[in-house]
Amino acid sequence: MSYTTGKDSFGVSLWETALSKAIKIVTKATEEDKKENYEEALKLYEEAAGLFCRAIKYEAQNDKAKESIRVKCIQYIERAEKLRKYLNSEKKPSKGEDEEEGVLSANLKQLQIDVLRSEKRKNKAGI
């Protein structure tokens, strides 16, 4: 972590919300996953999942937002579990799992849209 720039090793501002940090970290996780750098992807998915959980607990403003974050979080946890099993068994993930990467990317984009909508609502409400 660099205190001179106020950013950690992922380029995330130290003052960002848990949700925005989670999104940046899970983006990096999916990139590492696509590069077949599974150990790093696993670590990043797990870190992002923890931040998503924190966002659900402390940042989500309503039940719909909490559920949206929860659904995405579960998907990333499931991918992390598949990677963990692969790394423990040293088998290559199947092609079906490669298709899931595309689904994860689409889900990440949807999460980003949901977050932006939530932030716009907060701004309109003066929060």
Side-chain angles (χ1 to χ4, degrees):
M1 182 177 332
S2 171
Y3 293 101
T4 57
T5 63
K7 295 189 177 192
D8 66 11
S9 59
F10 301 107
V12 176
S13 167
L14 298 175
W15 298 276
E16 286 183 276
T17 66
L19 185 57
S20 62
K21 286 180 188 178
I23 292 169
K24 287 183 180 184
I25 292 171
V26 85
T27 300
K28 180 70 175 159
T30 57
E31 290 170 6
E32 294 300 321
D33 203 347
K34 287 177 186 176
K35 293 178 192 175
E36 297 183 6
N37 186 358
Y38 298 128
E39 288 182 22
E40 183 66 14
L42 172 61
K43 183 181 97 177
L44 293 169
Y45 282 129
E46 289 173 339
E47 184 175 353
L51 288 167
F52 280 126
C53 290
R54 188 180 320 161
I56 291 168
K57 186 173 184 178
Y58 298 109
E59 296 173 12
Q61 298 296 314
N62 58 52
D63 289 339
K64 185 176 179 182
K66 288 179 183 182
E67 184 59 24
S68 176
I69 296 166
R70 187 177 293 115
V71 167
K72 304 306 187 258
C73 184
I74 289 169
Q75 291 171 340
Y76 295 122
I77 290 170
E78 288 172 352
R79 180 60 182 161
E81 286 301 316
K82 287 179 183 179
L83 291 178
R84 182 179 290 106
K85 287 178 185 176
Y86 162 70
L87 291 170
N88 289 337
S89 68
E90 300 204 0
K91 288 184 186 176
K92 188 167 181 153
S94 69
K95 288 292 178 187
E97 291 174 0
D98 289 344
E99 292 172 13
E100 288 180 11
E101 289 178 16
V103 172
L104 291 175
S105 293
N107 288 333
L108 178 61
K109 290 188 185 304
Q110 184 58 49
L111 178 60
Q112 291 170 325
I113 290 167
D114 293 345
V115 169
L116 289 173
R117 286 180 183 157
S118 175
E119 289 176 356
K120 284 182 182 179
R121 278 187 238 124
K122 285 182 191 176
N123 289 339
K124 285 183 181 178
I127 299 176

